[in-house]
Amino acid sequence: MNAPGRRGPHAPELRWRLLDDLAAAREDWGLKDRTLAVLRALLGFLPKGETMRLTVFPSNRTLGERLMGMPESTLRRHLAWLVEAGLIRRRPSPNGKRYRIGADLAYGFDLAPFFASAVEIQERAIAARQVQERLRALRARIRTVLAQITVAAERSAELLRLLRRKVAPQRLETVLHDLEAELPPETDVAAAQIGCDSEPKTESNQTVTQERIARTAIAEVAQMVDLTVASISELREAGERAAHALSVHSAWTHARQRHGLVWAVVALAYLRPRIARLRHPDRYLRALTRRAGAGGFDLMASLHRSAMRPA
């Protein structure tokens, strides 16, 4: 392990950013809001710019005061949870008190495990935020489809309650799949989904351009597998066939789950002219999907640039 340094992974300057990441991934550690508040209070006892001495030694009374009068029994419980989660370590003194002796010895709560877990915390936070982004996109798409079909009032109310509850993405994907099957055949599949597979655009001409690009790409994929696409179910079938034909079905399914059906089908149109140059097309499509999720790849803009290049 590298020695802690000013810019190293243990530097307490990371404390608040790392705490925010831990809050995003709290479910992985089974932490509650008040447990995080206790950890925040402990971190607050580290001197600013401290890089070596990671043991703090406030009394329960001092901690309770900083936590707006948290009862000592509650404080002890949350401290125990932090220890159990492996985020702090107790360094008890012979007499049970918390204090520092000289420059190198302190009895109290060692925060080194929290900083040592920085990479894991950050990775889990990224995954947790991606799940939340996926849930937001799915909820938005379900509301969009609900506005385009007729459902009984009782079912509509049940679906809206589901959208407010805490559920796994897979549950919402199943709901969306069932709702999309009820879309009328004349539904414009590009216009129906292009607005909810990405962030809302402030300028209408940009949205129109994206819809045009999506329609062109969908038509190319449909022609590739000799199908006519006029509904969501037909779009899905065209995508399935084309993905099999290009030997990227696994990656395509992943792309559809991450970014929606239209994005995944349009990605096949982007992939098709490049397929002969790719040693591993499946890996390539997965990389595009990952980059798009991180904001490093704009599929519509890339297709637009390709179309604008001279033949």
Side-chain angles (χ1 to χ4, degrees), residues 58-93:
S59 66
N60 283 356
R61 179 179 177 180
T62 302
L63 265 176
E65 290 174 352
R66 185 163 293 195
L67 289 161
M68 307 299 290
M70 177 181 285
E72 185 168 340
S73 58
T74 304
L75 174 61
R76 289 181 183 277
R77 186 165 62 251
H78 290 294
L79 287 170
W81 286 339
L82 288 170
V83 172
E84 185 178 350
L87 294 169
I88 66 173
R89 184 187 303 117
R90 295 183 189 271
R91 291 193 178 278
S93 67

Side-chain angles (χ1 to χ4, degrees), residues 150-171:
T150 301
V151 297
E154 183 178 347
R155 183 186 177 202
S156 178
E158 180 183 351
L159 288 171
L160 291 175
R161 284 196 297 270
L162 177 66
L163 293 180
R164 291 192 294 268
R165 292 206 300 265
K166 185 177 180 180
V167 295
Q170 292 79 5
R171 175 78 184 280

Side-chain angles (χ1 to χ4, degrees), residues 111-130:
L111 298 170
F114 170 70
F115 293 102
S117 302
V119 173
E120 182 183 5
I121 290 172
Q122 291 165 347
E123 289 177 349
R124 294 197 186 191
I126 290 172
R129 288 174 178 133
Q130 288 175 342

Side-chain angles (χ1 to χ4, degrees), residues 103 245 306:
S306 298

